[in-house]
């Protein structure tokens, strides 16, 4: 349900060039099944090769309703806890290989950075967890454009690293 007490649903679109990872787009809101499905379709419409959907909460219903009309959906069941997953991708971030859009263009970037800075004590982990799952998946499949759970170069849209 998309009520005030609901958890956030996050969808992200990522790109890769060599070792660098680029967060291209993010959708984050409190969404019910219908809105979650619409968000998946929106991100898929943007030339996305793969769509990872967490096989929890309303994920199985979204997968079941879209798998015959939206190609590339992969159900995932993340291993370990959220903090462990975030820790596992921290070397990639610390090495300067993860780029975010300019906050002047994409205002949500400030909240994204704040959420990462609050780990492990922050109230929300949805953006952190989506990012860690996307970066983990991308280690398996280099140079793809994908949408992370519901998971360039030289562009002025990207102004720095995480």
């Amino acid at each position: 349900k998309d009520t005030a007490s609901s958890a956030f649903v996050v969808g992200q679109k990522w790109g890769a060039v060599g070792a660098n990872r680029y967060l291209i787009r993010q959708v984050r809101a409190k969404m019910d099944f219908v809105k979650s499905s619409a968000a998946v379709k929106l991100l898929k419409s943007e030339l996305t090769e793969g769509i990872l959907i967490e096989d929890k909460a309303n994920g199985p219903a979204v997968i079941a309703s879209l798998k015959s009309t939206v190609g590339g959906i992969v159900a995932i069941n993340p291993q370990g806890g959220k903090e462990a997953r975030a820790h596992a991708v921290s070397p990639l971030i610390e090495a300067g290989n993860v780029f975010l859009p300019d906050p002047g263009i994409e205002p949500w970037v400030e909240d994204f950075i704040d959420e990462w800075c609050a780990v492990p004590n922050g109230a929300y982990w949805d953006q952190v967890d989506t990012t860690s799952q996307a970066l983990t998946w991308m280690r398996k499949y280099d140079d793809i454009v994908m949408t992370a759970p519901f998971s360039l170069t030289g562009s002025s849209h990207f102004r720095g690293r995480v």
Side-chain angles (χ1 to χ4, degrees):
K1 295 181 180 181
D2 57 349
T3 64
S5 63
S6 299
F8 284 99
V9 175
V10 176
Q12 295 173 337
K13 183 182 188 92
W14 285 85
V17 177
N20 293 331
R21 304 297 185 244
Y22 298 85
L23 179 51
I24 299 166
R25 180 151 160 65
Q26 176 172 284
V27 175
R28 178 180 185 248
K30 295 185 178 192
M31 296 183 232
D32 60 14
F33 166 79
V34 173
K35 290 179 182 173
S36 294
S37 296
V40 169
K41 289 178 184 177
L42 170 71
L43 290 171
K44 177 60 181 177
S45 71
E46 299 175 347
L47 299 175
T48 301
E49 293 178 15
I51 299 173
L52 308 179
I53 299 179
E54 200 170 56
D55 203 10
K56 296 180 180 178
N58 70 354
V62 171
I63 293 165
S65 72
L66 296 178
K67 69 181 179 181
S68 65
T69 58
V70 177
I73 292 177
V74 178
I76 62 166
N77 220 335
Q79 303 300 307
K82 291 180 180 185
E83 187 172 352
R85 291 192 295 269
H87 181 71
V89 299
S90 64
L92 187 63
I93 295 168
E94 291 173 21
N97 294 112
V98 177
F99 293 81
L100 302 175
D102 184 317
I105 298 170
E106 298 287 355
W108 55 262
V109 171
E110 295 295 338
D111 287 337
F112 179 93
I113 293 169
D114 289 346
E115 187 174 305
W116 269 95
C117 290
V119 169
N121 301 314
Y124 297 105
W125 285 70
D126 49 282
Q127 297 171 102
V128 170
D129 199 36
T130 302
T131 300
S132 66
Q133 291 180 52
L135 294 175
T136 298
W137 186 265
M138 291 175 81
R139 282 183 180 153
K140 295 180 188 178
Y141 307 101
D142 284 338
D143 298 323
I144 63 169
V145 177
M146 58 171 285
T147 300
F150 256 120
S151 237
L152 301 182
T153 189
S155 168
S156 62
H157 188 73
F158 296 93
R159 295 303 273 286
R161 298 179 171 127
V162 173

